[in-house]
Amino acid sequence: MDAAEFRRRGKEMVDYVADYLENIEKRQVYPDVEPGYLRSLIPEEAPEEAESYEDVVKDIERVIMPGVTHWHSPYFYAYFPTAHSFPAMLADMLCGAIGCIGFSWAASPACTELETVMMDWLGKMLKLPEDFLAGTEGKGGGVIQGTASEATLIALLAARSKIVKLIQADHPDRSETDVISKLVAYSSDQAHSSVERAGLIGGVRMKKIPTDDKFSVRGAALHKVLKEDRAAGLIPFFFCATLGTTPSCAFDCITELGPICNAEKIWMHIDAAYAGSAFICPEFRPLLNGVEFADSFNFNPHKWLLVNFDCSAMWVKKRSDIIGAFKMEPLYLKHDHQESGLVTDYRHWQIPLGRRFRSLKMWFVFRMYGLKGLQAYIRKGSNELNETLLKRINSARKIHLVPCQLAGEFVLRFAVCARTTESRHVQEAWSHISHLASELLQELPH
């Protein structure tokens, strides 16, 4: 395929993708196939001779699409949302074309520097404390990980490395193996399984803190377990708080947990993988209060912020804690500017060596939507839309509602008023409201 054919085929693929997304709700959301379905549809070995592009494209519908779970279908309600947008897709094309492996500043200066700036942009959208921003002189900073699972593992390994060095500095006779055998990490009993897995990979015991009736870890529960474990000769060193748990989107009480972790010299990592995107809206930002106590914080723009997978945003207060745990400097990776203080080599912030130019997706999306556009996407429901819905509800005269305004938002109030109102009346009213809302949403341009 030469450049001329690439231009032609590229336009055809963009049309295919646009058609796929415009008509995705017509496709069955979950595939009707059995394990092993694909093997019988393709040869046992790669072809000896080249095949035509037309033949490859034909097989997308014949081989691939029958086995695709359509995550971007409006009928997909499983797992969690996965973000995407046309600007991000275009940025991914450019990323693939540039094809750099940005493990260091020298490997591709733009790849490193744009990531640093985009993470500062996003940190400012979230109103993170200055300690988490790189700026030009900051001690913290952000990095794009592949997933929240990686971010949790990185935080845990950095915390483990830090506590081992601190203890050995005071007790040179203690071996690393001895110290690690006493370490304990903690998380909510509602935390994602990846947190427990991080403990497994890190070779440390992980204890689950019981939650309250709102599925939230409170300060008293953590304090009780810490006291018991210290009395037993164990060394608490890491706590992973969750903001938006997988089962119920519950929030651990970080305003209580943070001061305890700071006082006990325990690394607090915040996993806000799903819910974190909402914090760019002022009305949701209070849910992040307490982040100032954290050592690291992570959420996934690739879940709810219009940036395609993979893009997991992680910040640390002291990047030296991360770099100190993973830094290795073989001669073939050194460069003239690595000690200048103006740049960072992201290979020291992650498990892999190589990394893609993922910040391009953030750059495209942030510029083409703007903060206001991203906030509108998170809120996903304008005042005008709610006003129209109320007019239709009251015009139908089956039920009657009045509105109110909360923090500038037009809100439909539903009050149970009559003595004779029973559960069935409320259910009928909700069914009626849902039906009218669905009709209204169907009329909106896609």
Side-chain angles (χ1 to χ4, degrees):
M1 182 181 288
D2 57 20
E5 184 181 2
F6 176 72
R7 291 177 191 273
R8 187 170 75 255
R9 300 306 190 187
K11 292 172 183 175
E12 291 172 3
M13 181 55 71
V14 167
D15 284 340
Y16 177 85
V17 170
D19 288 342
Y20 165 73
L21 292 173
E22 281 188 334
N23 299 291
I24 194 169
E25 67 179 87
K26 297 177 183 177
R27 294 179 183 264
Q28 181 174 297
V29 64
Y30 190 76
D32 186 17
V33 296
E34 296 296 326
Y37 90 94
L38 189 144
R39 185 173 289 275
S40 64
L41 299 177
I42 58 177
E44 287 291 324
E45 298 176 353
E48 289 282 343
E49 302 294 334
E51 296 183 17
S52 70
Y53 179 80
E54 287 87 352
D55 287 341
V56 175
V57 170
K58 286 177 184 175
D59 279 350
I60 294 175
E61 289 294 334
R62 184 182 72 86
V63 178
I64 303 302
M65 286 300 173
V68 170
T69 299
H70 299 285
W71 279 61
H72 297 289
S73 167
Y75 301 111
F76 183 87
Y77 301 109
Y79 307 115
F80 47 79
T82 178
H84 80 154
S85 65
F86 293 121
M89 283 185 260
L90 292 174
D92 251 348
M93 287 178 62
L94 180 59
C95 172
I98 293 173
C100 65
I101 312 298
F103 49 77
S104 70
W105 181 88
S108 191
C111 181
T112 294
E113 294 197 15
L114 186 65
E115 181 162 337
T116 301
V117 176
M118 287 304 98
M119 292 301 294
D120 275 359
W121 277 19
L122 184 53
K124 291 173 182 176
M125 291 183 201
L126 296 164
K127 291 184 169 49
L128 289 183
E130 286 288 329
D131 290 346
F132 285 104
L133 306 182
T136 56
E137 298 179 355
K139 295 181 179 180
V143 59
I144 301 174
Q145 303 288 359
T147 65
S149 304
E150 291 174 47
T152 302
L153 176 60
I154 290 292
L156 181 139
L157 293 177
R160 189 189 73 175
S161 174
K162 184 177 182 178
I163 192 68
V164 168
K165 289 175 183 176
L166 286 172
I167 290 175
Q168 288 188 319
D170 292 335
H171 305 280
D173 56 316
R174 294 192 69 174
S175 68
E176 181 175 340
T177 303
D178 174 53
V179 174
I180 290 176
S181 71
K182 301 292 186 182
L183 296 181
V184 191
Y186 306 89
S187 73
S188 159
D189 61 16
Q190 300 293 304
H192 192 271
S193 60
S194 62
V195 180
E196 186 174 0
R197 192 164 180 260
L200 182 66
I201 296 172
V204 298
R205 70 189 79 190
M206 176 75 69
K207 288 193 174 183
K208 296 182 179 182
I209 307 297
T211 52
D212 64 12
D213 58 353
K214 294 183 178 179
F215 307 107
S216 170
V217 173
R218 303 302 299 266
L222 176 62
H223 188 270
K224 178 177 181 292
V225 175
L226 294 179
K227 186 177 180 181
E228 292 171 353
D229 285 351
R230 288 200 187 278
L234 300 176
I235 307 171
F237 80 104
F238 177 84
F239 175 68
C240 180
T242 304
L243 300 183
T245 60
T246 300
S248 63
C249 206
F251 281 61
D252 292 337
C253 189
I254 57 176
T255 54
E256 294 179 2
L257 299 164
I260 294 173
C261 289
N262 288 179
E264 297 278 351
K265 293 182 170 53
I266 293 171
W267 183 300
M268 185 168 83
H269 174 70
I270 296 176
D271 173 10
Y274 165 47
S277 297
F279 303 150
I280 67 169
C281 297
E283 64 269 30
F284 300 128
R285 177 55 179 79
L287 294 170
L288 188 55
N289 288 349
V291 68
E292 63 271 17
F293 299 112
D295 295 277
S296 54
F297 168 71
N298 164 251
F299 86 98
N300 290 341
H302 67 230
K303 277 191 169 70
W304 200 11
L305 208 60
L306 297 170
V307 179
N308 292 38
F309 185 85
D310 56 339
C311 183
S312 186
M314 179 186 186
W315 290 266
V316 291
K317 272 185 179 171
K318 294 181 180 178
R319 58 177 177 264
S320 59
D321 290 338
I322 295 284
I323 294 170
F326 300 104
K327 187 172 184 178
M328 296 191 72
E329 290 285 19
L331 182 62
Y332 52 83
L333 293 180
K334 290 184 177 182
H335 58 88
D336 292 340
H337 300 284
Q338 63 187 35
E339 302 299 335
S340 68
L342 297 175
V343 298
T344 189
D345 288 344
Y346 278 121
R347 71 178 185 273
H348 303 313
W349 298 53
Q350 61 176 22
I351 300 295
L353 174 65
R355 55 206 334 274
R356 298 188 304 115
F357 203 162
R358 291 175 289 200
S359 56
L360 282 171
K361 295 182 288 191
M362 300 170 77
W363 194 47
F364 273 46
V365 169
F366 295 168
R367 293 183 67 186
M368 296 183 71
Y369 279 88
L371 177 57
K372 289 184 178 178
L374 293 171
Q375 290 171 337
Y377 174 74
I378 294 294
R379 292 169 180 141
K380 203 66 179 276
S382 66
N383 285 344
E384 292 78 13
L385 197 63
N386 287 332
E387 288 180 35
T388 301
L389 176 59
L390 181 65
K391 287 177 182 177
R392 294 194 182 186
I393 290 170
N394 288 336
S395 295
R397 290 177 167 76
K398 186 171 182 179
I399 63 174
H400 185 62
L401 299 180
V402 295
C404 69
Q405 204 165 51
L406 295 172
E409 298 294 319
F410 187 93
V411 177
L412 278 64
R413 290 179 68 257
F414 187 95
V416 177
C417 301
R419 176 183 59 81
T420 54
T421 302
E422 297 179 358
S423 176
R424 64 181 179 87
H425 298 111
V426 176
Q427 291 172 1
E428 288 172 10
W430 174 243
S431 178
H432 179 60
I433 294 170
S434 299
H435 175 71
L436 293 177
S438 297
E439 286 185 345
L440 179 58
L441 291 173
Q442 288 293 326
E443 296 171 11
L444 295 177
H446 293 285

